[in-house]
Amino acid sequence: MRSISRLEKTLFRLQSQQACLAYAFAEIAGRPGPVVELGLGLGRTFDHLRRHLPERDIHVFDRVNRAYEDCQPDPALLHLGEIEETLPALASRLSGKVVLANSDLGSHDRELNLIVAAMSARLLPPIMAAGGIVMSDLPLPLDGFQSVPLPPGALEGSYYLYRAPA
Ligand SMILES: C[S@@+](CC[C@H](N)C(=O)[O-])C[C@H]1O[C@@H](n2cnc3c(N)ncnc32)[C@H](O)[C@@H]1O
């Protein structure tokens, strides 16, 4: 059997991301708390988050703002710079409160992916609420977190879901 093409890989990742987001929205319904988006990029997932979670504070992190004009986050909740520095700076404000974090930091550089995955796995746990959901485009070595089976519509290995300890 042939291996999947780049086009299929991108398609499956986006389908899986959307399915995981739908799962996460249902999981956090009725649970107050902010949301964190690591990797604003063009603002596509941020736009999806804000349309589905209009009442939530969505803290967005990236080193630069390259988002579409109509996908701009609230400047007060946009944290520009290296996540290694910007996220710890907010740790006391977010500590134990975040009900959903989407880590979307992957690129085509495998070595860099290992580094950013390790960074997310190190920086996210202190800010997550008990039972909060972490979604990621990369597998994250999250100590003590439960790996959540992917919902229907998501393809194994295309996106990753975790739940913080209760
Ligand atoms: C795959 S893109 C995000 C895509 C975005 N979620 C979207 O839907 O358009 C990854 C983003 O992560 C950012 N990024 C990666 N590592 C970072 C780091 N260590 N600190 C800050 N930003 C980082 C990059 O600048 C890039 O914009």
Side-chain angles (χ1 to χ4, degrees):
M1 197 165 74
R2 71 170 173 82
S3 56
I4 62 171
S5 67
R6 283 269 181 204
L7 183 142
E8 288 162 329
K9 211 171 172 177
T10 303
L11 175 70
F12 295 154
R13 185 174 60 82
L14 295 178
Q15 278 178 342
S16 300
Q17 196 176 42
Q18 189 191 27
C20 290
L21 282 163
Y23 168 86
F25 297 152
E27 283 294 306
I28 67 168
R31 290 201 60 188
V35 170
V36 159
E37 165 86 325
L38 299 185
L40 171 64
L42 296 173
R44 294 162 295 195
T45 44
F46 165 69
D47 188 38
H48 198 68
L49 285 165
R50 70 174 171 180
R51 286 169 193 272
H52 286 266
L53 305 171
E55 309 301 329
R56 308 249 183 195
D57 278 353
I58 304 174
H59 290 269
V60 187
F61 297 78
D62 205 305
R63 53 172 64 99
V64 283
N65 182 355
R66 290 206 193 95
Y68 295 121
E69 205 52 52
D70 61 352
C71 297
Q72 291 293 321
D74 176 347
L77 300 179
L78 173 60
H79 311 287
L80 293 180
E82 290 301 307
I83 289 168
E84 190 83 51
E85 293 165 15
T86 51
L87 189 53
L90 276 190
S92 60
R93 190 162 148 202
L94 296 179
S95 179
K97 294 188 182 145
V98 175
V99 289
L100 170 62
N102 179 39
S103 175
D104 194 12
L105 298 172
S107 66
H108 298 302
D109 185 329
R110 286 181 188 208
E111 282 182 28
L112 200 57
N113 283 347
L114 289 174
I115 294 170
V116 291
M119 177 187 72
S120 286
R122 186 162 36 82
L123 298 182
L124 286 175
I127 63 167
M128 295 306 297
I133 301 288
V134 174
M135 304 176 38
S136 176
D137 63 333
L138 299 170
L140 301 182
L142 282 160
D143 265 356
F145 280 54
Q146 183 193 344
S147 192
V148 178
L150 292 180
L155 197 82
E156 212 58 52
S158 290
Y159 227 77
Y160 302 86
L161 273 176
Y162 305 91
R163 187 186 302 281

